[in-house]
Amino acid sequence: MSIQREMINIYIGGELFQVPEGHTIMMAFEYSGFQLKRGVGCREGYCGACATVYREKGDYKLKGGLACQTVVTDGMTIAMIPFVPAEKPVYDLNELTPDVGTFTQLFPSVFRCVSCNTCTKACPQDIQVMDYVQALIRGDIAKAADLSFDCIRCGLCALRCPAEIVQYNAGILARRLYGKYLSKNSPELEIRLKEIEEGKYDKEIDELKKMPGDKLSEKYYSREINIS
Amino acid sequence: MYPEYMMESIKKVEQTRPKRLELAKKFGKKVFPGMSEQEREDILNNYHPDYKDDALRELRIGPNKGDKIINEVVDIMESYPRDYPEIFDLNKVDFETDVLIIGAGSAGLSAAIEASNADADVLLITKLRLGDSNSMMAQGGIQAADQSDDTPVLHYLDVIGGGHFDNKPELVEALVMDAPPSIKWLEDLGVMFDKNPDGSMMVKSGGGTCRNRMHSTRDYTGAGICRVLRDEVYNHPDKIKYIEYTAATELILDDKGQCAGAIIYHLESKQYSIVKAKTVIIATGGFGRLHIRNFETTNHYGATADGLVIGYRAGANLLYMDSVQYHPTGAVFPEQIVGFLCTEKIRGLGAQPVNSEGELFVYPLEPRDIEASAFIRECENDLGVTTPSGLKGIWLDTPLIEELSGEGTIEKNLPAMLRQYHRFDIDIREYPMLVYPTLHYQNGGLEINAASETSISGLFVAGESSGGVHGRNRLMGNSQLDIIVFGRRAGKNAAAKVKKGVQLGKLSLEHVEKYIKEVDSIGVDKKRIAPIVLPDYIPDHVKAKQLSSEFQGTLF
């Protein structure tokens, strides 16, 4: 029982196409005959490949969104962003320190933030982008890492920023610094690594590798399940 | 929002929720008895899509000739190349490298980092962008036995039992023993694992695990890892060259049968180039976009199994291509996100699967094939809910999570999931999700050994395109682990091989010529070509006007 749909008008790059209502922008492109190469990736809102700028009927505002997550509306005018040619500094994480100095050196543009909040408004992930830029300015790497966590690197923030900041590249550096230097080591992991190195499990694993199928099956089905 | 008739079924779910909550409080995860070996076998035989009579057919050519494998895979194996060998002049080499890596998900990226660390020159190609992959999309977790009540031995048992004892033991050993060191490696690269304030890992259970060993980076685990690896690759421009929007359409061998490079094709400029490489790593991922048995898929746009095709043509053999993993919980409503993965972590957090009558009908954390079969059983027995577009599903009762673990649990642990549904006006804290099994993972692939190498000297495979690690069914959190473990192994071993000295002979595409003759001999349509490179979602009435669209997959 497939449903009959109303057709609506959309303008892809200014050209009129008729597509079924309820389609996402990405589905609407494909319905119109475009086989996508750029501007398409996971199709589930995780990869950031499909940053798109659009304007809705009767509105003057240019809005940003992900093509795979935004539903077309009648009269929508759409342009997909094929690529964001933003700068990405090259660094060796081992030589960096998790502090504000790293950012003054690698991302001086961060300190030009004028707190206009345009980046936050542009973010399709609802990230408080300006807040994490401000956290970086204060040298609060942990806060920046936390706030920028859901970034999918679509580039819409950098495209709209009047201060020419490449927020998403600064964000991943903050998260990597946090992961490597600021979060505490797991004591259990350290112990296990040592045990593995010392060969503690080698004999038992070796026995399992050689175990006949019926014995192995018996062992599997009788193993104690202890989960919470 | 759900239409009214679906809300009626949701009311039944709400009515049984207090009782199910009580059950969960009393018995933890064991709210329903787990299936015995016999029950598992029965439900698979009766309901799993792989076990349907017409799921498999005999492959008529190549190293696995005579094997019965998945129909859609036979189609791409029994196919012609995109281009005929005689048009290429192999004396004109465009790129030369120590290690050519095909595919830039987490397996390819890990391989690139390790190979460059071992001082090898790397050429990394991907048909979309660096990091565009299934790796980036994984949500729930990565397994590693690093807790005090857990051991690699227990992890081994879970992996091999979940895989129906078909896994290659040496690969399972590599997977579980390399797991804790891989977590350490990732953390040193700056991956932000979910931790308690004292630094201990926050770990959860997954389907088929006997301990809590699922590590996560919120519900962006794949992205949390993959974007760090990508950033690291960007930081080695001297050792790792990469080319995007470029697919490998054929492997090149030398006259001694060693792998010696690939023909690569730039999707936009439509130019072919010849890469001469001392070693090649296939890390192209799986086959979700083949839409096996017309299932929707959770997979990335690029998941068209290109690596399987070119590896098989070059003589590498396949393992377990008779099995497909359907993830139990793919979204079926709203229709814009049909096929969308609803992470297993949701059940890990305590959400229960219930049918249209609000009844719990299965242990929520059976291995994926068993759980998926149980969902299909409910729907085939009229205990599913039908969507306005005609799909069927069962409920995943997410509001239970908050009742069990307190308000805010979903926002904290499942931010991606909450956001996705919120975009379509459904608040999963208040209403359950409607789900049905969705095509998720290629359990088998090109056979490798513990060094991640195939039977062809110099040809390595890592990640979903490889076969043997997971047997016939992979557990949650073991693919994120697989891509790191075997990506690293492939990168290190390829670099080591180069260091020991690889002498390449005359480059050759003779294997492709031979393959074409085999395809000729079985008589298939000349228009059936592979690798497909990209799927095609253009509707028929539009395709009818596109003169090049008679070809399967990517338009010429």
Side-chain angles (χ1 to χ4, degrees):
Chain A
M1 71 177 204
S2 77
I3 30 173
Q4 276 300 316
R5 296 175 182 288
E6 294 288 318
M7 300 298 278
I8 59 171
N9 294 330
I10 61 165
Y11 300 87
I12 297 177
E15 303 294 323
L16 172 67
F17 288 90
Q18 289 201 316
V19 300
E21 65 166 1
H23 272 27
T24 61
I25 291 175
M26 186 168 285
M27 291 157 79
F29 266 71
E30 288 171 339
Y31 186 89
S32 304
F34 293 71
Q35 200 204 23
L36 300 173
K37 291 173 184 170
R38 278 182 194 266
V40 58
C42 73
R43 307 171 74 100
E44 292 191 3
Y46 279 87
C47 78
C50 62
T52 299
V53 176
Y54 62 91
R55 189 170 56 76
E56 285 178 295
K57 193 178 181 175
D59 196 351
Y60 64 91
K61 285 182 189 152
L62 292 180
K63 293 182 179 163
L66 300 175
C68 71
Q69 298 291 309
T70 309
V71 176
V72 290
T73 55
D74 188 41
M76 189 185 255
T77 303
I78 308 163
M80 274 201 194
I81 313 275
F83 177 69
V84 182
E87 196 181 18
K88 143 83 190 147
V90 167
Y91 46 78
D92 179 350
L93 199 68
N94 297 308
E95 290 171 359
L96 301 182
T97 47
D99 54 35
V100 72
T102 294
F103 287 88
T104 46
Q105 200 190 338
L106 292 171
F107 289 95
S109 61
V110 158
F111 299 86
R112 290 166 47 186
C113 175
V114 294
S115 307
C116 68
N117 213 29
T118 310
C119 50
T120 301
K121 282 188 221 153
C123 180
Q125 291 283 88
D126 303 325
I127 294 169
Q128 298 298 312
V129 185
M130 187 192 79
D131 291 0
Y132 83 68
V133 170
Q134 289 295 324
L136 288 176
I137 292 173
R138 296 194 304 274
D140 191 346
I141 310 295
K143 183 90 182 165
D146 178 48
L147 289 177
S148 68
F149 198 90
D150 293 0
C151 173
I152 54 172
R153 206 174 183 273
C154 70
L156 284 167
C157 51
L159 285 171
R160 299 306 296 262
C161 179
E164 322 286 350
I165 302 169
V166 186
Q167 293 88 339
Y168 55 88
N169 279 340
I172 180 115
L173 177 56
R175 294 192 298 278
R176 292 190 65 187
L177 288 170
Y178 182 87
K180 185 174 175 67
Y181 295 112
L182 298 175
S183 77
K184 279 193 189 145
N185 282 348
S186 152
E188 295 93 342
L189 177 59
E190 301 297 327
I191 295 168
R192 185 55 39 84
L193 291 174
K194 204 155 164 256
E195 288 174 351
I196 288 176
E197 209 169 292
E198 288 165 354
K200 184 175 173 185
Y201 303 103
D202 294 356
K203 191 167 158 272
E204 264 183 284
I205 294 270
D206 215 46
E207 280 168 16
L208 288 180
K209 278 168 71 185
K210 290 178 190 142
M211 200 172 275
D214 52 336
K215 275 223 156 135
L216 193 60
S217 168
E218 199 185 307
K219 209 169 161 68
Y220 170 72
Y221 282 100
S222 64
R223 78 202 190 290
E224 184 207 3
I225 296 184
N226 185 14
I227 57 176
S228 55
Chain B
M1 207 44 237
Y2 293 109
E4 200 160 323
Y5 80 92
M6 288 168 83
M7 285 304 291
E8 279 168 33
S9 174
I10 289 179
K11 274 191 197 121
K12 294 180 183 168
V13 175
E14 286 169 348
Q15 275 161 15
T16 60
R17 191 174 297 142
K19 264 208 164 143
R20 289 182 288 108
L21 176 66
E22 216 171 285
L23 216 57
K25 281 183 174 163
K26 205 166 162 189
F27 299 110
K29 294 280 153 57
K30 294 171 196 159
V31 289
F32 202 89
M35 287 188 211
S36 67
E37 196 172 356
Q38 186 59 47
E39 284 170 321
R40 282 187 180 187
E41 205 182 306
D42 289 347
I43 200 161
L44 288 175
N45 278 325
N46 288 322
Y47 296 102
H48 196 283
D50 285 355
Y51 294 70
K52 300 282 173 201
D53 289 340
D54 58 348
L56 311 177
R57 76 173 198 267
E58 195 178 306
L59 179 56
R60 294 173 291 175
I61 52 174
N64 288 74
K65 183 175 172 175
D67 287 3
K68 284 187 94 176
I69 67 170
I70 298 150
N71 259 314
E72 290 79 356
V73 178
V74 176
D75 288 344
I76 58 168
M77 292 303 167
E78 295 181 350
S79 64
Y80 286 96
R82 294 182 68 83
D83 296 283
Y84 282 72
E86 56 267 26
I87 66 171
F88 297 107
D89 181 356
L90 299 180
N91 295 315
K92 291 184 183 156
V93 171
D94 299 287
F95 300 95
E96 251 190 278
T97 186
D98 292 337
V99 185
L100 168 67
I101 302 173
I102 306 165
S106 288
L109 295 168
S110 297
I113 293 167
E114 288 291 17
S116 75
N117 284 346
D119 210 31
D121 285 323
V122 175
L123 178 65
L124 174 60
I125 66 160
T126 168
K127 63 187 172 185
L128 292 161
R129 308 171 310 160
L130 284 198
D132 276 354
S133 57
N134 284 338
S135 311
M136 191 64 94
M137 304 165 70
Q139 299 167 23
I142 175 168
Q143 288 202 39
D146 61 6
Q147 301 297 296
S148 54
D149 69 342
D150 196 9
T151 66
V153 178
L154 289 170
H155 191 179
Y156 186 104
L157 276 177
D158 285 347
V159 174
I160 207 152
H164 305 296
F165 307 98
D166 292 325
N167 323 45
K168 276 182 82 170
E170 60 173 307
L171 301 183
V172 182
E173 177 187 30
L175 185 78
V176 303
M177 294 299 277
D178 277 10
S182 294
I183 297 289
K184 177 77 180 161
W185 185 71
L186 291 172
E187 214 176 12
D188 283 344
L189 284 167
V191 171
M192 279 172 67
F193 287 108
D194 294 336
K195 288 182 158 191
N196 298 307
D198 66 352
S200 60
M201 296 283 180
M202 290 168 70
V203 284
K204 297 217 155 47
S205 56
T209 70
C210 69
R211 291 292 182 279
N212 293 341
R213 76 167 76 88
M214 205 66 65
H215 301 58
S216 53
T217 73
R218 304 189 191 175
D219 62 347
Y220 285 99
T221 303
I225 293 170
C226 193
R227 63 194 181 188
V228 164
L229 298 173
R230 175 177 60 192
D231 192 62
E232 186 59 20
V233 164
Y234 286 145
N235 285 327
H236 293 277
D238 48 334
K239 297 298 289 180
I240 307 171
K241 306 276 175 230
Y242 65 86
I243 312 175
E244 297 180 314
Y245 298 100
T246 296
T249 57
E250 221 65 73
L251 290 177
I252 298 172
L253 301 180
D254 74 355
D255 52 6
K256 294 178 266 183
Q258 301 180 100
C259 195
I263 305 282
I264 64 173
Y265 171 67
H266 191 273
L267 269 57
E268 292 187 317
S269 75
K270 300 181 192 270
Q271 294 188 63
Y272 283 92
S273 303
I274 289 161
V275 182
K276 183 176 179 182
K278 290 178 181 151
T279 55
V280 176
I281 300 172
I282 291 177
T284 51
F287 59 19
R289 291 282 159 187
L290 299 182
H291 292 287
I292 289 155
R293 298 187 74 77
N294 290 322
F295 267 80
E296 293 293 343
T297 182
T298 57
N299 279 198
H300 193 276
Y301 190 54
T304 51
D306 301 353
L308 288 193
V309 174
I310 61 175
Y312 192 70
R313 270 185 203 149
N317 66 298
L318 298 166
L319 214 51
Y320 305 138
M321 292 310 297
D322 53 0
S323 100
V324 181
Q325 180 164 91
Y326 296 90
H327 193 292
T329 52
V332 284
F333 186 89
E335 70 149 348
Q336 291 90 351
I337 56 166
V338 166
F340 175 87
L341 174 66
C342 304
T343 172
E344 194 163 315
K345 194 177 171 191
I346 302 170
R347 279 173 288 140
L349 286 163
Q352 297 167 355
V354 291
N355 61 26
S356 60
E357 297 302 305
E359 296 159 345
L360 182 62
F361 57 87
V362 66
Y363 172 59
L365 288 169
E366 294 283 4
R368 286 182 170 167
D369 50 353
I370 311 290
E371 191 82 9
S373 302
F375 290 11
I376 294 171
R377 178 191 67 198
E378 295 301 290
C379 291
E380 286 187 7
N381 292 338
D382 281 333
L383 290 164
V385 176
T386 306
T387 70
S389 54
L391 299 169
K392 281 186 177 179
I394 59 104
W395 296 112
L396 190 56
D397 193 13
T398 43
L400 197 61
I401 295 174
E402 303 249 306
E403 296 204 15
L404 264 172
S405 308
E407 238 175 76
T409 310
I410 288 182
E411 192 177 359
K412 188 154 181 279
N413 291 281
L414 301 166
M417 200 56 41
L418 183 66
R419 175 176 298 124
Q420 297 290 7
Y421 274 78
H422 192 73
R423 280 180 176 136
F424 303 101
D425 286 330
I426 293 172
D427 187 340
I428 59 168
R429 294 169 297 194
E430 279 182 52
Y431 299 105
M433 306 158 128
L434 196 69
V435 297
Y436 189 77
T438 174
L439 175 52
H440 189 53
Y441 190 76
Q442 174 185 299
N443 291 314
L446 296 165
E447 183 172 2
I448 54 168
N449 60 23
S452 227
E453 196 169 7
T454 65
S455 56
I456 299 170
S457 179
L459 178 62
F460 296 78
V461 184
E464 195 171 348
S465 37
S466 77
V469 181
H470 308 287
R472 287 192 161 87
N473 178 54
R474 175 181 64 80
L475 301 183
M476 169 197 182
N478 278 343
S479 63
Q480 281 296 308
L481 179 58
D482 171 357
I483 55 189
I484 304 303
V485 167
F486 290 96
R488 294 181 69 197
R489 281 185 175 233
K492 284 181 192 173
N493 289 315
K497 196 172 184 106
V498 170
K499 282 281 158 315
K500 270 206 314 211
V502 174
Q503 296 301 322
L504 292 181
K506 193 174 159 27
L507 301 191
S508 160
L509 286 170
E510 218 171 278
H511 61 286
V512 182
E513 285 165 31
K514 219 178 106 205
Y515 201 88
I516 293 170
K517 284 195 186 119
E518 285 197 68
V519 182
D520 282 339
S521 75
I522 55 171
V524 306
D525 187 339
K526 294 259 181 204
K527 284 172 189 161
R528 197 203 279 169
I529 58 156
I532 287 173
V533 182
L534 290 177
D536 184 351
Y537 296 118
I538 296 166
D540 289 344
H541 73 274
V542 178
K543 280 174 78 76
K545 297 170 87 174
Q546 290 179 324
L547 299 180
S548 60
S549 64
E550 61 193 283
F551 296 101
Q552 187 181 2
T554 313
L555 305 187
F556 276 69

